Amino acid sequence: MVQAYILIQTEVGRAAEVAGRIREIEGVDEAHDVTGPYDVIVQAHADDVDSLGALVVARIQRLDGIARTLTCPIVNI
C-alpha cells in the first residue's frame, strides 16, 4: 500500500467546498481546508504508485475549483 499527502491550491473561496467533495472519494482518508500556500491537504492511500497517480489525476484533479496539486508520497526510511 502507498500513502501520500496531496497539497491542493484551489480557486479563491472554494477550499471548503473542494475539501468536502474530496472527502467523498474512495481512497481519501482525510481532507482538511487549511491556511497558507495550499488551501486543502489530503491524506490518501492506494494499492500502488500507479493507482495513486490515477486517484490524483482521474479523480481529484478533475474536480471543479482545483488549480494545482502536489503529491507527496509517504516514505519509511
Side-chain angles (χ1 to χ4, degrees), residues 2-4 6 22 24-29 42-63 66 69 71:
V2 176
Q3 293 181 302
I6 304 160
I22 289 174
E24 299 172 1
I25 296 173
E26 185 178 342
V28 170
D29 300 318
V42 175
Q43 184 174 1
H45 70 277
D47 290 335
D48 52 46
V49 173
D50 290 336
S51 298
L52 178 64
L55 171 68
V56 174
V57 173
R59 305 286 313 276
I60 293 176
Q61 286 182 350
R62 291 188 180 199
L63 291 176
I66 293 181
T69 65
T71 304

Side-chain angles (χ1 to χ4, degrees), residues 15-40:
E17 171 195 347
V18 168
R21 285 187 291 148
I22 289 174
R23 284 185 198 104
E24 299 172 1
I25 296 173
E26 185 178 342
V28 170
D29 300 318
E30 297 182 47
H32 301 282
D33 43 318
V34 297
T35 61
Y38 294 96
D39 304 305
V40 178

